[in-house]
Amino acid sequence: MMSRASQMNERMNNPMNTAADVLDLAPVVPVVALDDVAHAVPLAEALLRGGIGTIEVTLRTPAGLPAIERIAAEVPDMVAGAGTITEPGQAKRAVDAGARYLVTPGATDRLLDDLDGVGAPYLAGAATASEAMRLAERGATAMKFFPAEPSGGVAYLKAIAGPLPHLRFCPTGGISPETAPAYLALPNVGCVGGSWLAPKDVLAAGDWTKVEQLAREAAALR
């Protein structure tokens, strides 16, 4: 049987062609809003040491794009994604910076057209069955479920698995280490997004040993 480390290496070394590939990168995708670009590389290295091979750097702060660029250039084994893509133009800038996949909180036709034009895998956000079906009509089989907890959480995903068995999700929003296992046990969940792997106070303190520990615990969830 292939070890967890070997499985992670295989996933990272294989090219990502679809959003479904993103769901298999790690059981927990760290969702991080960085305020200091200098934290990008040591954070990525600590996550890797802990067994988490991907990071979603959100574009909520000015440090987002340069942080992705630093990670892509200096930590090539880390699969960097760009989150909080909300308007046309952001996707191309993120990919140009080195992002290998894109994540949106929701989906409009204009934004989806722009994402399709960029060509990188993306997880578009959906919070209802209708929104998920609309994305499926455009060919998506993997998407983000956001905001997960306020939108019904585990119970909601269980409910839509019956009528929409071909769709898989990355639930994000309000998920904790305590609730993540219940999500990951669902057949229509590939991974979860979580901000707890890189708390702001831990980043501010530069406590990369703590980040590594949190990553190791998250990697063991599946």
Side-chain angles (χ1 to χ4, degrees):
M1 180 180 294
M2 188 179 295
S3 69
R4 186 181 301 275
S6 297
Q7 289 174 339
M8 186 183 78
N9 289 336
E10 183 179 42
R11 288 195 297 267
M12 289 190 297
N13 291 332
N14 288 336
M16 286 189 301
N17 298 313
T18 69
D21 295 324
V22 178
L23 297 185
D24 294 328
L25 287 170
V28 181
V29 177
V31 181
V32 183
L34 286 172
D35 295 314
D36 189 343
V37 177
H39 291 157
V41 169
L43 170 61
E45 291 174 338
L47 291 169
L48 269 180
R49 290 194 302 271
I52 296 294
T54 186
I55 181 172
E56 178 191 329
V57 179
T58 71
L59 303 190
R60 301 175 191 174
T61 68
L65 281 178
I68 292 170
E69 193 168 17
R70 290 280 299 274
I71 293 169
E74 300 181 42
V75 195
D77 287 338
M78 172 60 74
V79 180
T84 320
I85 303 290
T86 58
E87 58 187 47
Q90 287 182 315
K92 185 179 186 306
R93 291 194 292 273
V95 170
D96 287 346
R100 293 177 57 187
Y101 63 90
L102 308 163
V103 185
T104 79
T108 65
D109 288 332
R110 185 164 170 252
L111 181 60
L112 291 171
D113 288 342
D114 187 68
L115 289 165
D116 287 335
V118 171
Y122 64 84
L123 296 173
T128 68
S130 293
E131 291 172 356
M133 290 168 64
R134 184 166 166 270
L135 289 171
E137 286 181 352
R138 295 184 65 118
T141 58
M143 55 197 70
K144 177 177 179 175
F145 177 54
F146 178 82
E149 285 289 289
S151 299
V154 170
Y156 191 85
L157 287 171
K158 281 183 179 178
I160 65 173
L164 302 173
H166 56 299
L167 301 183
R168 295 174 71 219
F169 298 88
C170 173
T172 304
I175 299 175
S176 68
E178 293 72 32
T179 59
Y183 282 96
L184 292 170
L186 299 177
N188 58 345
V189 169
C191 63
V192 300
S195 59
W196 76 84
L197 278 76
K200 285 191 176 295
D201 58 336
V202 172
L203 293 179
D207 190 350
W208 310 121
T209 300
K210 179 63 174 179
V211 172
E212 181 180 345
Q213 175 193 337
L214 293 170
R216 199 173 303 282
E217 293 168 357
L221 290 176
R222 180 158 64 197

